[in-house]
Amino acid sequence: MAIGSLTLTPSFDPNKTSYTVTTTNNTNTVSAVTTSETATLTIEVNGVEHENGTSATWQTGENTVVITLEESGYSPHIYTVVVTKE
């Protein structure tokens, strides 16, 4: 999971679901990768769905990125990143 070249805190671990990051940029590319051919990813930024690998525009203050990974037969994995634009 990546948001441009920003560093997630803590470092990405598939077993952790909450992250934070701070930026001064107006936009960053948001992307997530799955190694499963049958999984689907959904990315929402401030409640608006984004295509994987597209740029998100940040509002000043806190922005919420929610990445949902779904695969048949498994419970969904939901990752939340709070991006604070200074």
Side-chain angles (χ1 to χ4, degrees), residues 5-82:
S5 61
L6 303 176
T7 302
L8 297 175
T9 303
S11 296
F12 182 72
D13 175 337
N15 296 312
K16 294 181 181 178
T17 59
S18 296
Y19 300 89
T20 61
V21 67
T22 302
T23 186
T24 57
N25 295 336
N26 289 328
T27 62
N28 289 104
T29 301
V30 179
S31 58
V33 177
T34 177
T35 57
S36 172
E37 294 178 13
T38 60
T40 59
L41 288 167
T42 304
I43 299 172
E44 289 187 5
V45 178
N46 295 327
V48 177
E49 193 167 322
H50 277 61
E51 274 191 47
N52 196 9
T54 61
S55 291
T57 300
W58 310 123
Q59 301 171 15
T60 300
E62 290 187 355
N63 298 265
T64 303
V65 178
V66 178
I67 299 172
T68 305
L69 172 66
E70 295 184 83
E71 187 168 12
S72 181
Y74 297 93
S75 297
H77 291 278
I78 300 171
Y79 301 98
T80 303
V81 182
V82 175

